[in-house]
Amino acid sequence: MVLPLLAYLAGLLTILSPCIMPVLPFLFSRVGHSFRRSALPLLAGMALTFAATASLAAVGGGWVVQAHQWGRMAALAALALFGLALLWPALADVLSQPLVKLGAGLSRRSDQAQQRGEAVGASALLGVAVGLLWAPCAGPILGLILTGAVLQAGSAGTALLLLTYGLGAATSLAVALLAGDRLAAALKRTRGASLWMRRGLGAAALAAVGVSALGLEQASFAGWTLADTNRLEQALLTRIPAADPGVASAPAISRLPVLGTLPPFPKRATWLNSPPLSRDQLWGKVVLVDIWTYSCINCLRTLPHVRAWASKYRNHGLVVIGVHTPEFAFERDLGNVRAAVRRLGLTYPVVIDNDFAIWKSFRNTYWPSFYFIDGQGRIRHTHFGEGAYDTSERTIQELLREAGQKDVPTGLVRP
């Protein structure tokens, strides 16, 4: 029962993360409506759709990639129509006619019953579309669930954990919506406020659709946050170690202890920006292994520092290797990864780890994870998640000096 509780708590924390930003315009469009008939169906549809698509995306093959991409396109089109309907009430009347007819066909009770059916059906469909659009930040707990799904080929337990996570997110959004209801009631007492609020939400919804359609969610929201949710989740994991005894915590940096050795890279792995590298070729070099994936906002936030370190210390014996281990099935598409590497300006070697071979050889459990290897192939320091950039760079400098490098640059990068 511990891991389901952690999954629910991690879902609650998503309200503080930047990944929730695309969802908010659609959520707050339900402000002023019946919570039970409007907001609740939306949140339920979102949680259920997220759990279903995340379960498939974590373990599915190529057909799931294609199905998810088509479903995402359909969801974006539906959400764009919804945003336009908020801007122009006349269009909303036209779009609502099929739902009105459907409600009349299903229920002959009264006009009020038809309106109830219309609100519930429309909100549930909106929730399904939002669930296809939403990709939450993979903190330690969600990463743990998704890793288990991939390594164990999926299970009913994984789907239930993802649903629990989605319900946690829905709970925090419901609280925000109930608080917004009071604000909406106050605004409605001001002449014209309701119309302008509706139009503002419509514009925000269209903006969210545009950002998502262009694949800019991570870049757009990477700098926005209300709290360090990764640290909060890590605190939960360390306080309840029974959730997963294999989850490691970062060791102290003092004296740089030996934590293990660099495992070999798979011989048939695909490499970008470099021919395949082996441990023998890296002997005498200081190596930073960054395990990441391109749709992870937490990973994207670390990349400016990784790029800066690779550039600053390239001529002083540092080799940065990005290990791209996918969270979801669409991240296994090599074309998607190539495009992301170009878009993000990564020029250092990136090895594709679609089968989690490197991930498992490091016994890793996080996105992103840093492993600092000295000139003798020994792991001397690790860091999981964001932050501690100054400590990481000083570790690089110390290992370079240990390896006999002269004139190692001092100071710290400020990307």
Side-chain angles (χ1 to χ4, degrees), residues 319-379:
V319 177
V320 174
I321 298 176
V323 176
H324 187 273
T325 307
E327 285 183 66
F328 300 108
F330 59 83
E331 293 172 311
R332 301 185 186 193
D333 186 291
L334 185 58
N336 290 346
V337 181
R338 288 186 189 275
V341 168
R342 287 194 300 269
R343 183 176 67 251
L344 296 169
L346 307 185
T347 58
Y348 50 79
V350 175
V351 57
I352 307 300
D353 187 34
N354 281 351
D355 59 0
F356 278 62
I358 302 173
W359 176 286
K360 288 186 285 189
S361 67
F362 277 97
R363 301 183 65 185
N364 190 58
T365 53
Y366 295 90
W367 288 280
S369 292
F370 292 158
Y371 293 87
F372 299 84
I373 291 98
D374 65 17
Q376 299 179 49
R378 301 175 301 181
I379 300 172

Side-chain angles (χ1 to χ4, degrees), residues 57-311:
V59 300
W63 71 271
V64 174
V65 177
Q66 296 301 321
H68 182 270
Q69 289 174 344
W70 284 107
R72 179 182 170 84
M73 291 171 62
L76 288 172
L79 294 174
L81 278 176
F82 176 77
L84 291 171
L86 287 173
L87 285 172
W88 290 288
L91 178 61
D93 293 338
V94 173
L95 294 175
S96 66
Q97 288 305 311
L99 287 171
V100 172
K101 292 179 180 179
L102 177 62
L106 295 175
S107 175
R108 301 289 183 182
R109 296 178 183 176
S110 64
D111 291 340
Q112 184 180 9
Q114 292 173 20
Q115 292 301 318
R116 282 203 303 266
E118 177 186 349
V120 170
S123 296
L125 289 174
L126 179 60
V128 170
V130 171
L132 287 169
L133 172 73
W134 181 48
C137 302
I141 295 172
L142 182 56
L144 189 64
I145 298 171
L146 292 172
T147 303
V150 173
L151 298 182
Q152 300 171 21
S155 66
T158 296
L160 287 174
L161 285 173
L162 288 168
L163 177 59
T164 304
Y165 182 95
L167 291 175
T171 301
S172 59
L173 289 172
V175 172
L177 184 56
L178 289 171
D181 238 341
R182 297 183 179 181
L183 176 61
L187 289 175
K188 282 184 177 180
R189 290 195 287 269
T190 305
R191 180 179 298 179
S194 179
L195 177 61
W196 284 109
M197 183 172 66
R198 177 190 178 102
R199 288 177 174 173
L201 288 169
L206 288 175
V209 169
V211 168
S212 297
L214 295 173
L216 302 176
E217 305 103 310
Q218 291 82 13
S220 300
F221 302 122
W224 298 17
T225 185
L226 296 177
D228 190 342
T229 54
N230 271 338
R231 292 194 180 188
L232 292 173
E233 290 187 35
Q234 182 60 50
L236 290 173
L237 285 172
T238 53
R239 286 178 181 273
I240 313 178
D244 189 320
V247 174
S249 59
I253 188 173
S254 59
R255 299 184 182 178
L256 294 179
V258 175
L259 306 173
T261 58
L262 173 65
F265 296 105
K267 293 182 179 180
R268 296 184 180 181
T270 299
W271 290 73
L272 307 180
N273 299 334
S274 168
L277 297 175
S278 67
R279 288 191 297 183
D280 291 341
Q281 291 172 296
L282 296 171
W283 187 263
K285 301 283 188 179
V286 172
V287 180
L288 168 59
V289 173
D290 173 20
I291 298 180
W292 71 295
T293 186
Y294 74 80
S295 77
C296 166
I297 284 184
N298 309 109
C299 298
L300 295 179
R301 285 173 169 171
T302 65
L303 287 181
H305 291 85
V306 179
R307 286 196 302 261
W309 296 334
S311 175

